[in-house]
Amino acid sequence: MKTLTDPSLPTQPPAELLEALNYCRRPLIIAHLAPDGDAIGSLLALGHMLHRLGKDPILACQDPPPASLRFLPGSDRITNDVRDYAVDQIIAVDSSDPTRMGSIYDPGEHKNLPLLVIDHHVTNVAFGQINWVEPATAATAQMMYDLALALDIEIDTDLATCMLTGMVTDTRGFRTNNTTARVLDIAAALMQAGASLNRIMERTLNSHSFNLIQLWGRALETVEFDRGVIHATNSLVMREGLDGIVRPEGLTSFILGAYEAKAAVVFTELPENKVECSFRARPGQNIAEVAFALGGGGHPLAAGCTISGMLPEIKELVLSRLIEQVLSS
Ligand code: AMP
Ligand code: MN
Ligand code: MN
């Protein structure tokens, strides 16, 4: 794992990354599956920048952008079928390991192409030939801002909107402990470049479907507390009649707000006996390690994993690991 850099300074993309970006003609940029605002914001920002450099980037994600992110300029260009494109480079964004690229990365088709990784997860396994990983940054979109500086690309309104969306969503509206003065400086610069902070807040953090509110309600009825860990469950049957909604977005952070809680987890049961676990913790904890040990990853205070097995057993396993972490901290 990487040591953290000074958060008051711009991060520096490695020279070989800049060279590879200048050299490619048609790069395939991949955002992680079940994409969040940082995945989509970074994907689109990098797409706009490479387009500006005269490249023909293909933008891909296994899952479509959620409705709350479709206002982002270029989001209609994101595809989940790249078989017809002859690409010459792969760039994974906001992804800590190769499984996060989901079905877009084709080991047969893509294995001989250069793979570049641009990410800010402390658990990044450096799965590219070139890995630019900055765990001290609040969002991969913040690295995109530094990349624009390094490439001397002028930030227009579209680029600024994509970057600011990634930063706003990954910091939950500048509330996380990686929200440094520099994060706010960059946010101000992006607003000056034309991004509307208010519009981004309204579209992302302040907008939920009625189905999501109902799912929160059902999941909140399951909430329990055990030795510093607060947890809630979102099972398959609880989602019946909610129009295909899967994740109770935002719920893990909300239940962590219980002042007794040091860590929080929400269990989302998926089809085919898989369970997605979303972790949050208060400063002083490190749940990235817990998630990584369970095959996932993330940040010290926000992490996750997806485990195969039955819901009751997985809950028991994950809760025991989290309680152990909280008691030892
Ligand atoms: P979430 O709770 O889904 O918002 O995820 C919190 C953080 O954990 C994000 O930074 C994710 O990128 C990371 N994360 C979630 N699930 C996984 C996973 N299966 N593998 C690696 N990282 C994950
Ligand atoms: Mn992400
Ligand atoms: Mn991120």
Side-chain angles (χ1 to χ4, degrees), residues 100-177:
R100 303 286 287 160
M101 299 187 288
S103 59
I104 302 295
Y105 187 81
D106 179 339
E109 280 293 306
H110 296 148
K111 75 167 181 301
N112 294 323
L113 297 176
L115 174 61
L116 280 52
V117 171
I118 304 179
D119 183 36
H120 70 129
H121 292 96
V122 71
T123 55
N124 192 289
V125 296
F127 57 100
Q129 275 89 49
I130 300 173
N131 301 283
W132 181 30
V133 180
E134 300 285 359
T137 58
T140 301
Q142 182 183 343
M143 299 170 67
M144 293 303 165
Y145 178 86
D146 289 339
L147 182 62
L149 297 185
L151 290 168
D152 205 17
I153 290 175
E154 193 201 331
I155 298 179
D156 62 10
T157 300
D158 284 359
L159 204 39
T161 302
C162 296
M163 290 172 176
L164 190 56
T165 297
M167 295 178 67
V168 162
T169 53
D170 256 25
T171 61
R172 295 189 297 113
F174 306 117
R175 277 190 283 178
T176 54
N177 78 333

Side-chain angles (χ1 to χ4, degrees), residues 81-326:
D81 183 1
V82 300
R83 282 169 305 180
D84 288 343
Y85 297 108
V87 295
D88 59 5
Q89 185 180 81
I90 315 280
I91 313 170
V93 298
D94 200 38
S95 301
S96 56
D97 70 61
T99 68
R100 303 286 287 160
M101 299 187 288
S103 59
I104 302 295
Y105 187 81
D106 179 339
E109 280 293 306
H110 296 148
K111 75 167 181 301
N112 294 323
L113 297 176
L115 174 61
L116 280 52
V117 171
I118 304 179
D119 183 36
H120 70 129
H121 292 96
V122 71
T123 55
N124 192 289
V125 296
F127 57 100
Q129 275 89 49
I130 300 173
N131 301 283
W132 181 30
V133 180
E134 300 285 359
T137 58
T140 301
Q142 182 183 343
M143 299 170 67
M144 293 303 165
Y145 178 86
D146 289 339
L147 182 62
L149 297 185
L151 290 168
D152 205 17
I153 290 175
E154 193 201 331
I155 298 179
D156 62 10
T157 300
D158 284 359
L159 204 39
T161 302
C162 296
M163 290 172 176
L164 190 56
T165 297
M167 295 178 67
V168 162
T169 53
D170 256 25
T171 61
R172 295 189 297 113
F174 306 117
R175 277 190 283 178
T176 54
N177 78 333
N178 51 13
T179 305
T180 58
R182 181 165 153 77
V183 167
L184 297 181
D185 281 346
I186 295 173
L190 294 173
M191 290 175 76
Q192 260 149 12
S196 165
L197 177 63
N198 184 247
R199 179 160 171 258
I200 292 168
M201 290 282 189
E202 283 306 312
R203 293 292 186 124
T204 59
L205 302 179
N206 289 348
S207 301
H208 315 291
S209 65
F210 182 52
N211 284 324
L212 181 80
I213 306 290
Q214 290 181 94
L215 181 57
W216 266 50
R218 294 177 192 182
L220 277 170
E221 285 186 4
T222 73
V223 77
E224 288 179 52
F225 180 78
D226 186 3
R227 286 167 284 172
V229 177
I230 191 163
H231 58 98
T233 302
N234 159 31
S235 66
L236 280 165
V237 289
M238 284 165 52
R239 304 202 289 274
E240 276 169 15
L242 295 185
D243 199 25
I245 191 168
V246 179
R247 296 169 185 86
E249 300 294 346
L251 183 62
T252 325
S253 299
F254 177 71
I255 61 175
L256 179 65
Y259 66 76
E260 297 90 345
K262 290 188 171 164
V265 52
V266 171
F267 299 99
T268 291
E269 185 186 21
L270 300 175
E272 296 170 5
N273 289 327
K274 283 190 182 149
V275 178
E276 197 177 273
C277 311
S278 164
F279 302 155
R280 295 289 184 277
R282 290 195 186 274
Q285 307 292 321
N286 185 355
I287 47 167
E289 282 178 10
V290 178
F292 190 71
L294 292 165
H299 310 286
L301 306 184
C305 59
T306 300
I307 310 178
S308 293
M310 305 298 285
L311 185 59
E313 286 86 58
I314 290 174
K315 280 175 67 171
E316 201 181 306
L317 167 74
V318 169
L319 286 172
S320 70
R321 300 279 182 99
L322 277 177
I323 290 167
E324 192 185 342
Q325 148 70 32
V326 162

